[in-house]
Amino acid sequence: MPIYEGDFSPPSGRFAIVASRFNSLVTEALLAGCRDAFVRHGVADDRLDVYWVPGSFEVPLVARKLAESGAHASVICLGCVIRGETGHYDHVAGQAAGGILQAGLATGVPVIFGVLTTETVEQALNRSGLKSGNKGGEAAMAAIEMVNLLGKIGGQ
Ligand code: INI
């Protein structure tokens, strides 16, 4: 029985990272974790293109444009939405998630959801390099795994 999985061998091509400036203390740390994971898996900084947007709500549009361009093997979306800071948390977080999903489904390019959605600032900090790892690094790993998995589909 053939089983197909993406591995973490260095993929070819360029990678786009869309990062949200809102809550930038957290998102700068997500970006650092993302870059670090890429570099440690054979994707050097000069193969990464970083696009900054104002907030997580703006991430899907830029992610979709990039995915449509066909210039990148994957698009990684980084942001941070904290419930305690806003009454429109549900709209921003929900629309970001839905838009990021749609960008991938509409283009066939793996578009990775590296947007933190947390109740508190402490949780966000913990998931961006403190107690609970770094979601930006996890997003880079997910991108590599998906690129390598998709490379195995249709070619057997
Ligand atoms: N954007 C975020 O990325 N995180 C947030 O927590 C947030 N809050 O709290 O409102 C947020 N708002 C801005 C939003 O993403 C848009 O940039 C803005 O509404 C303009 O469209």
Side-chain angles (χ1 to χ4, degrees):
M1 177 183 68
I3 296 175
Y4 300 98
E5 287 183 298
D7 60 22
F8 296 102
S9 57
S12 56
R14 302 190 67 76
F15 289 79
I17 302 169
V18 185
S20 162
R21 204 172 281 114
F22 206 102
N23 294 323
S24 63
L25 179 70
V26 172
T27 60
E28 291 271 10
L30 294 176
L31 178 59
C34 187
R35 290 172 59 178
D36 180 62
F38 269 124
V39 169
R40 286 189 292 109
H41 287 82
V43 181
D45 247 2
D46 62 3
R47 285 207 276 140
L48 303 177
D49 296 310
V50 180
Y51 297 81
W52 283 100
V53 296
S56 295
F57 194 81
E58 283 72 40
V59 168
L61 173 61
V62 174
R64 182 157 177 165
K65 282 270 188 193
L66 288 165
E68 284 172 348
S69 80
H72 297 93
S74 175
V75 179
I76 297 89
C77 300
L78 303 177
C80 174
V81 192
I82 303 173
R83 185 186 294 275
E85 302 300 309
T86 176
H88 58 238
Y89 167 96
D90 291 314
H91 299 292
V92 175
Q95 296 300 336
I100 289 167
L101 174 67
Q102 282 305 317
L105 294 177
T107 61
V109 173
V111 180
I112 305 299
F113 185 66
V115 178
L116 287 177
T117 55
T118 67
E119 298 294 321
T120 65
V121 171
E122 186 181 11
Q123 287 173 344
L125 291 171
N126 282 342
R127 295 172 196 175
S128 56
L130 293 177
K131 292 179 186 170
S132 309
N134 188 312
K135 181 84 174 168
E138 290 174 25
M141 301 302 291
I144 292 171
E145 183 175 347
M146 285 298 290
V147 168
N148 287 334
L149 175 61
L150 291 178
K152 295 180 178 178
I153 295 176
Q156 294 89 37

